[in-house]
Every structure is written in C-alpha cells, then in structure tokens.
Amino acid sequence: FVFMVQNIHEDSIKLFDTLKKYEDLASKDPLTSIYNHGRIETEITNAVELFKSKGEKVSLMMLDIDYFKTVNDKFGHAVGDIVLKQFAKLIRDYLEPYDIKAGRWGGEEFVCVCYGKDLEEIKELAEKLRERIAQESFEKIGSLTCSLGLTEIHEGDNSATIFDRV
C-alpha cells in the first residue's frame, strides 16, 4: 500500500510538472519568450478585476519600436526577429525587480501590466526604460528608439477602455 501511494504521488508530481511546462508554452510568445498576446490580455483583465475588488493600483505601459518596418526592409526579417528577441530580453531584464508582467502584443508592440504602481510611479520607470533602450546597441542595426504609452486603471474601466487609452 505504501509503495502504491508513493508511486501515485510520484506520478502526480510528474503530471503536474508536465502540465506546468505546457502552460508555460501556451502562455509565451515563441519568438521572444515573454507572455504572448492572449496571456497579456488575461493579465489586463486580471488587473482590472484586482482594481475593482481590492482597489489596488495598477498601470499599463505600451512600448512600440519606432520605424521597425525600416529594420525589416533594410536588414531583412531574420534580423528583425533578432532585434525583437533582444528588445524583449532588455524589457524583461529591466523590469525583473518590479511586479510587472510584460508581453508581446503583436509585431513590434509590447504591453506591460504594472501591479502596485500608479501613473506617476510608472512614468519615471518608463522614462528610464526608454532611455535604456535608446542606449542599447542592437545586433546588426545599432540603436533604435521606442514610443511609450502609459495609463492607470480608473473606476469604470474594463480591459478594452484601458487598452484604448494606453
């Protein structure tokens, strides 16, 4: 009986690990390894619900790589993919110390859900991130810039209204 229970326990752990692996795969953008569109959309919905239920401060940041079409046209899509990976890694590494969930919205657009931060707090962080991105030397293309949109969740917001505002 003890061995049977132990085997069931070990099988359950393996199954849980496998489920976790597939959950991560389903939530991540295959190119950049940060959250994909669907998962970041879920984070926005969760953030709105957190604000409504507990009054927690939550802000949203959107980053859009400036003139990215030029990168693809001049250097090719393979280089564009390298740039997107490097850009996403830079965002992920920079935001790691904060309770911020980053995801690729599509193309060269990225969205970050910033838990526990109001608009004033996120402005300073976003400006430093924008400067850090401008200082980065991107493989094969050199430097690039990005445009940022910021907003915080307000009473009466839903995921669509907050996203439209950002």
Side-chain angles (χ1 to χ4, degrees):
F1 178 74
V2 171
F3 291 118
M4 186 175 79
V5 169
Q6 185 176 358
N7 285 343
I8 291 170
H9 177 71
E10 288 171 2
D11 289 345
S12 296
I13 290 173
K14 286 179 189 174
L15 182 59
F16 180 76
D17 289 344
T18 301
L19 288 172
K20 182 69 176 147
K21 174 185 164 188
Y22 286 113
E23 179 186 18
D24 284 346
L25 285 172
S27 296
K28 299 283 174 87
D29 176 65
L31 179 66
T32 61
S33 300
I34 60 175
Y35 285 153
N36 61 23
H37 180 102
R39 177 58 193 267
I40 204 68
E41 197 167 26
T42 299
E43 286 295 328
I44 295 169
T45 301
N46 292 345
V48 170
E49 290 307 312
L50 182 66
F51 176 82
K52 286 179 180 177
S53 65
K54 297 185 179 176
E56 296 278 332
K57 301 184 286 187
V58 185
S59 295
L60 210 66
M61 178 188 331
M62 184 172 204
L63 299 96
D64 189 352
I65 299 175
D66 296 330
Y67 310 109
F68 189 71
K69 183 180 180 323
T70 304
V71 171
N72 281 335
D73 290 348
K74 185 175 180 181
F75 298 98
H77 289 274
V79 171
D81 287 353
I82 291 168
V83 170
L84 289 171
K85 288 179 194 177
Q86 189 176 350
F87 188 86
K89 182 179 181 330
L90 194 153
I91 293 170
R92 183 180 57 243
D93 292 350
Y94 189 86
L95 298 176
E96 188 175 23
Y98 309 97
D99 188 15
I100 296 176
K101 307 296 185 214
R104 183 173 175 206
W105 191 255
E108 73 281 1
E109 297 173 330
F110 297 82
V111 173
C112 304
V113 179
C114 311
Y115 292 96
K117 307 220 176 340
D118 63 22
L119 189 58
E120 289 306 311
E121 293 170 303
I122 206 64
K123 277 182 184 178
E124 183 179 334
L125 181 66
E127 180 58 21
K128 288 179 181 176
L129 176 58
R130 187 194 62 75
E131 290 171 358
R132 173 67 185 88
I133 290 166
Q135 294 168 358
E136 180 77 2
S137 177
F138 287 85
E139 191 174 329
K140 302 196 186 224
I141 69 158
S143 64
L144 60 78
T145 59
C146 71
S147 299
L148 290 159
L150 306 172
T151 192
E152 63 186 334
I153 297 177
H154 301 295
E155 195 66 41
D157 274 342
N158 59 43
S159 58
T161 59
I162 190 170
F163 188 79
D164 287 346
R165 196 168 55 245
V166 76

